[in-house]
Amino acid sequence: MPTTHILSRFPFHALRAGALAAATWATTAGAAHAQSPATAAPIPVKVFIGAMFEIGKNTGDRAGEFQMWFERYWKDAQPITVPGALGPVFCNADGVCGSVLGMGKVNSSASVQAIVLNPQFDFSKAYYVISGVAGTPPARGTIGDVTWGSWLVDYDLGHRWAPEEGKPGAPVFMPRKGYEEYRRFQLNPTLVQWALQLTRDSKLQDSESAQRYRLRYPEAQARRAPHVGVGTHMTGDTFFHGPGLSKEAQYIAKSYGADDYVATEMEAAAIALVLARTHGTSRIMSLRGAVNFDQGNPQETTLAHLDPAPGETAGGFAETVANITQVGAIMVDTIVRDWTHWQNGVPALKP
């Protein structure tokens, strides 16, 4: 996702190296212990959960995006190696599978394509949860928020120019014509409303450090307690940051007819494109938890906020990844428990 991207992915730059090292370790471990007998029937997948990174091991240490999912669904599962994917896939007896896909559009979408095309799995009726941390604009969200994506919009695909080369104060982005079906995806509105209806009253965790940090911002949305919401998830490999580029992201969302931009991330639109070409987008859910704001407060520069001094980060990372799994598991468990109602498509909303 953009930290705003590394900040949107996690609040410390050092975590990136740890996440990549852990992903390499997970891939090696999966290859060593994989169980993929050639004669076995494909595993019927009911829900696939894709996280982008893990900080260390899958259990027992500091949690990244995957660990709490792993501990909830796959502690006793064996890794299944998938050629072309970053890490192994884990599945439980209920048909819930998941994997670490890698950060960024190319990394994550390559993993998803390898997994959904692998004959060890049957994805013909699967639902997908694209799960991770994110940044959020202070006018739309706060640290610890969890949002369901209504639209997935590609931040990078278009034309840009330097501000001084255009009209003063005017946008510096123009969509590239002919790429309409690649750059934005509206997720199934009924599925989004199911997710919001089932999870909107979730009591989310918070931290004292995040509570103090929010007070640096004047916006009412930034200063409130975390909650479950919905809006556009902006996908970009560019780690855009600061009020100017945040405003540009909102401009792009509106230019595409999408909802308000509420989360900056690096993978969802690319993953959606892979699924659109294989199994369709009607069963995709994008779930993001905010671990940073996409800009500094009025008293700090953009660069100071992008590379904060020790003790100047928001905190709340552990609480946010817990919130993501808490909220997302409600949907996963509902689909699995009521599979007869969900297997042939998203059921009509309850009144």
Side-chain angles (χ1 to χ4, degrees):
M1 80 190 231
T3 271
T4 223
H5 290 43
I6 277 240
L7 291 178
S8 307
R9 290 235 63 55
F10 18 69
F12 304 104
H13 292 282
L15 293 184
R16 183 181 182 90
L20 293 175
T24 302
W25 175 89
T27 303
T28 303
H33 298 94
Q35 293 185 350
S36 54
T39 58
I43 297 170
V45 181
K46 295 177 182 175
V47 182
F48 178 81
I49 302 164
M52 312 309 147
F53 75 91
E54 187 48 62
I55 296 170
K57 298 180 180 180
N58 287 335
T59 186
D61 58 4
R62 185 181 182 190
E65 291 179 343
F66 189 64
Q67 183 172 132
M68 292 191 178
W69 289 114
F70 181 86
E71 291 177 344
R72 184 179 183 95
Y73 293 109
W74 306 300
K75 288 192 73 171
D76 299 323
Q78 294 298 311
I80 303 170
T81 296
V82 175
L86 178 69
V89 175
F90 297 90
C91 295
N92 67 14
D94 293 326
V96 180
C97 299
S99 184
V100 175
L101 304 174
M103 295 183 293
K105 290 190 287 188
V106 173
N107 208 0
S108 60
S109 60
S111 290
V112 168
Q113 180 156 303
I115 292 168
V116 299
L117 295 179
N118 190 281
Q120 297 177 91
F121 310 99
D122 177 2
F123 281 94
S124 61
K125 295 185 176 181
Y127 290 83
Y128 304 88
V129 179
I130 305 169
S131 171
V133 296
T136 190
R140 298 292 187 274
T142 195
I143 306 300
D145 269 0
V146 175
T147 62
W148 295 101
S150 53
W151 290 76
L152 308 178
V153 171
D154 190 301
Y155 173 81
D156 301 308
L157 192 56
H159 300 279
R160 281 185 173 84
W161 50 91
E164 64 271 18
E165 295 167 359
K167 295 180 180 179
V172 296
F173 175 87
M174 180 175 66
R176 182 171 179 80
K177 293 181 180 179
Y179 288 82
E180 287 77 12
E181 299 306 313
Y182 305 155
R183 68 189 185 215
R184 51 95 180 99
F185 300 88
Q186 182 179 19
L187 298 186
N188 186 331
T190 304
L191 183 56
V192 173
Q193 286 305 308
W194 261 110
L196 190 61
Q197 180 175 289
L198 290 173
T199 64
R200 70 174 66 188
D201 295 328
S202 299
K203 183 174 177 55
L204 302 184
Q205 295 185 33
D206 202 359
S207 73
E208 292 183 3
S209 60
Q211 291 169 6
R212 292 192 299 270
Y213 189 85
R214 292 185 191 107
L215 298 180
R216 303 181 181 193
Y217 289 79
E219 294 89 348
Q221 287 294 314
R223 297 167 73 96
R224 61 165 171 74
H227 73 180
V228 178
V230 65
T232 291
H233 291 178
M234 186 69 58
T235 302
D237 283 322
T238 302
F239 293 359
F240 70 81
H241 206 72
L245 294 184
S246 178
K247 182 179 178 180
E248 180 183 84
Q250 192 67 264
Y251 168 79
I252 294 171
K254 293 304 182 184
S255 296
Y256 292 167
D259 296 331
D260 276 358
Y261 144 64
V262 299
T264 166
E265 43 83 17
M266 296 175 62
E267 298 88 14
I271 292 172
L273 179 57
V274 170
L275 295 176
R277 291 176 175 176
T278 52
H279 297 287
T281 61
S282 65
R283 300 188 181 200
I284 297 175
M285 291 165 277
S286 182
L287 180 65
R288 294 285 172 167
V291 294
N292 66 274
F293 293 113
D294 70 356
Q295 59 195 270
N297 66 68
Q299 281 69 53
E300 67 182 337
T301 66
T302 293
L303 289 180
H305 188 253
L306 182 61
D307 189 17
E312 294 300 309
T313 55
F317 184 89
E319 291 78 9
T320 302
V321 294
N323 289 342
I324 295 168
T325 304
Q326 174 193 336
V327 170
I330 295 172
M331 276 302 293
V332 174
D333 294 346
T334 296
I335 292 170
V336 172
R337 183 183 63 246
D338 301 331
W339 185 241
T340 55
H341 300 293
W342 286 83
Q343 62 178 329
N344 294 321
V346 179
L349 279 167
K350 295 179 180 178

